[in-house]
Amino acid sequence: MTSRAIAATLLAALVVITSGCGSDGGAATPQDSTPECTGGVLEADLQAEPLSGPGVDPATGALRPAPEGSSYTISSTYGIPRPGDAVMQRYVQMFGAIQAQLASQRGLVAMQLAQSSSCGSGRTLAVWESTEAMYEFVMSPAHLEAMNAVDELVEPNYAVTHWETARADEMTLEEGVRRIKTSEAAAR
C-alpha cells in the first residue's frame, strides 16, 4: 500500500469524525472530480479491512444484530486527502487523539476502513448503538478539533451521511455509497 493510499484511508477515517455526520438529506458535497472517483461510485479497486469493534463476532467476523426491536445508526464517509507532507503530519497528529477517543467511546459498535489506490480515496463505515452515541463522539474534544481542520486536510468533494437500520444488508460500504449518491443527487 502506498503512503498516499494509507493517507486516503486514514483521512477518510478522519472525515467520519470531522464532518458531523450529515443525513441523507443533502450533506454530501457535490463532486467536481473524475466521475469514477466520487463518493457515490464504488471504486473498482476498493480494498476494505474487515469490520472491527466490540459488536463484531470474533468467530465469524460478522456484525452482531441490533438488539430485538432496535436499530443501529450507521455512518459512511468518502474522502480524498489533500496532497503534501504537511497535511499528513497534521493528520497523524490529530488521528492519535481520535484513535484514543474511539478506543473508549461508548456506543461504537464497529468500524470498517477502505481505500482505493486508483482514486487515492478512503471510505469508512461506522456502526453506532444510537444516533445519540454517534453525536456524543462528534462533540468530543478530539473530534471538534478535527472538524476545524477538515478543509485543510481533505479535498472539498468529501461526503458523509448516516442512517438507522436493523437490516444487516444496509450496514455495508456499498449501502453507504448508495446513500452518498442519493445525497449528491439531492445537492445538485
Side-chain angles (χ1 to χ4, degrees), residues 15 36 38 48 61 79 124 126 148 151 182:
V15 170
E36 301 83 36
T38 66
T124 67
N148 288 330
D151 290 336
T182 300

Side-chain angles (χ1 to χ4, degrees), residues 1-11 81 114-117 120-122:
M1 185 181 308
T2 67
S3 62
R4 182 151 171 91
I6 292 168
T9 302
L10 294 176
L11 282 168
Q115 62 89 25
S116 163
S117 296
S121 59

Side-chain angles (χ1 to χ4, degrees), residues 51 55-57 60-67 70-75 109-110 112 125-127 163-176 178-179:
L51 277 170
V56 176
D57 183 327
T60 66
L63 184 65
R64 292 186 182 108
S70 67
S71 61
Y72 288 136
T73 296
I74 314 302
S75 64
V109 176
Q112 184 175 31
L125 183 80
V127 181
W163 65 96
E164 292 184 19
T165 188
R167 294 179 43 187
D169 65 334
E170 291 184 351
M171 299 181 206
T172 64
L173 287 165
E174 293 80 8
E175 180 65 13
R178 188 189 73 73
R179 289 177 183 262

Side-chain angles (χ1 to χ4, degrees), residues 4-180:
R4 182 151 171 91
I6 292 168
T9 302
L10 294 176
L11 282 168
L14 180 62
V15 170
V16 77
I17 54 184
T18 58
S19 300
C21 297
S23 68
D24 285 338
T29 302
Q31 308 295 326
D32 296 322
S33 61
T34 309
E36 301 83 36
C37 296
T38 66
V41 176
L42 187 66
E43 302 91 333
D45 68 335
L46 191 69
Q47 298 294 310
E49 297 292 324
L51 277 170
S52 63
V56 176
D57 183 327
T60 66
L63 184 65
R64 292 186 182 108
E68 185 68 33
S70 67
S71 61
Y72 288 136
T73 296
I74 314 302
S75 64
S76 183
T77 68
Y78 169 85
I80 298 174
R82 291 189 182 271
D85 291 339
V87 168
M88 189 57 169
Q89 288 173 356
R90 178 113 162 94
Y91 172 78
V92 169
Q93 179 184 45
M94 293 182 137
F95 198 68
I98 288 168
Q99 282 181 309
Q101 180 70 38
L102 283 171
S104 63
Q105 184 65 44
R106 181 194 73 76
L108 180 64
V109 176
M111 188 159 200
Q112 184 175 31
L113 303 176
Q115 62 89 25
S116 163
S117 296
S118 65
C119 291
S121 59
R123 293 184 181 272
T124 67
L125 183 80
V127 181
W128 298 91
E129 287 178 356
S130 65
T131 302
E132 293 77 20
M134 179 185 71
Y135 280 118
E136 184 178 306
F137 175 72
V138 166
M139 298 307 296
S140 70
H143 180 267
L144 289 172
E145 181 179 354
M147 282 175 52
N148 288 330
V150 71
D151 290 336
E152 170 190 338
L153 301 174
V154 182
E155 294 290 347
N157 67 342
Y158 69 86
V160 61
T161 192
H162 76 274
W163 65 96
E164 292 184 19
T165 188
R167 294 179 43 187
D169 65 334
E170 291 184 351
M171 299 181 206
T172 64
L173 287 165
E174 293 80 8
E175 180 65 13
V177 169
R178 188 189 73 73
R179 289 177 183 262
I180 288 171

